Amino acid sequence: MSNQIEQLVEYFRSSNYIVVLTGAGVSTESGIPDFRSPKSGLWNKYSPEIVEIDYFMRYPEAFYKFLLDGIRDTFNAKPNFTHYFLGKYEKKGKIKSIITQNIDGLHQKGGSEKVLELHGNMRKAICMKCGKKFKTEEIIKYYKEKNEAPKCSCGGIIKPDVVFFGEMLPTDTLNEAFSEAERCDLFISLGSSLVVTPAALLPHRAKETGSKLAIINLQNTPLDRDADIVINEKVSYILKQLDRKLENV
Ligand code: NAD
């Protein structure tokens, strides 16, 4: 593994345009479970249909129960070393953008500014009928007090402004993510199983347009054989070593 880290240091130093894709695995160390880790992943406890749009429209209560029981910690979570590392190297001009599948807002809290949120975020919620916007705290309060899925005054169902399975991703953000993948000379994927498309297509696009590709993830991913570097370790453990070597300490 030390060879892989040396190689990563070398790539990091020699690259001029680094783009990072992050998945739920960068936030597990902030206490937010991911979906697919073998024991702790949410799909060991909940059915993935809870985040399918058709199911949500029929049974919104199931989603709100999941929100409070399963991913409640998202609201109080704090950035971890990985989020701060990414913010630090964006400020230094090395990392040009973060493309994230996460909805937890921790990259911004960790100091990153150019964050492309492919799956939306938990800051806002939206009425599915009239489009009125709400703060997520308001709708959680509503659910807690009435124990029913929040409804707008127009009668519409209110949904957190995140992309459910079966929904389109925000087109502008997705297009920008693909142009970042095409533009970079080093693409790093952190803590993603790389099975959810179209996010999983981005590393491939980067590679076919001439970038180096590094993947750091505890489990194997379907894109490992395309990558120049694959490290199956905790993200923060590797980034701490990378940081020390880049700072020459
Ligand atoms: P995923 O659950 O499919 O994969 C996460 C991967 O991270 C797993 O392969 C796991 O082995 C790895 N991992 C977990 N902890 C790690 C660590 N400390 N270091 C290195 N690897 C680690 O998640 P995904 O690929 O992001 O895609 C699934 C969906 O999950 C996305 O749509 C995303 O919106 C959603 N999600 C987001 C959050 C969040 O915002 N924090 C939480 C759960 C799910």
Side-chain angles (χ1 to χ4, degrees), residues 180-228:
E180 286 295 281
E182 286 162 11
R183 203 169 163 192
C184 66
D185 50 7
L186 175 60
F187 189 99
I188 308 177
S189 176
L190 301 176
S192 174
S193 60
L194 295 176
V195 296
V196 178
T197 53
L201 303 174
L202 291 162
H204 194 68
R205 176 65 64 86
K207 189 69 190 153
E208 69 187 7
T209 50
S211 170
K212 297 268 190 305
L213 173 61
I215 297 177
I216 305 175
N217 199 56
L218 279 175
Q219 292 169 279
N220 292 324
T221 81
L223 292 183
D224 288 357
R225 62 189 165 164
D226 291 342
D228 300 280

Side-chain angles (χ1 to χ4, degrees), residues 93-118:
K94 271 289 184 188
I95 293 175
K96 301 297 182 193
S97 58
I98 309 290
I99 304 168
T100 189
Q101 300 172 83
N102 294 344
I103 54 170
D104 54 34
L106 291 181
H107 285 304
Q108 291 88 338
K109 289 187 186 163
S112 294
E113 286 180 21
K114 180 81 187 286
V115 183
L116 301 172
E117 294 177 312
L118 293 178

Side-chain angles (χ1 to χ4, degrees), residues 9-21:
V9 174
E10 172 50 31
Y11 285 169
F12 207 93
R13 281 208 176 107
S14 60
S15 299
N16 296 315
Y17 204 106
I18 301 174
V19 169
V20 180
L21 172 70

Side-chain angles (χ1 to χ4, degrees), residues 53 56-57 126-132 156-159 167:
I53 189 65
F56 174 77
M57 295 309 281
I126 190 155
C127 169
M128 300 291 281
K129 199 165 159 195
C130 71
K132 186 173 172 193
I157 300 171
I158 300 173
K159 182 178 90 63
E167 284 192 295

Side-chain angles (χ1 to χ4, degrees), residues 41-58:
L42 287 162
W43 295 163
N44 293 301
K45 203 168 155 202
Y46 297 92
S47 164
E49 68 187 2
I50 288 176
V51 293
E52 281 171 14
I53 189 65
D54 291 347
Y55 192 85
F56 174 77
M57 295 309 281
R58 277 184 289 145

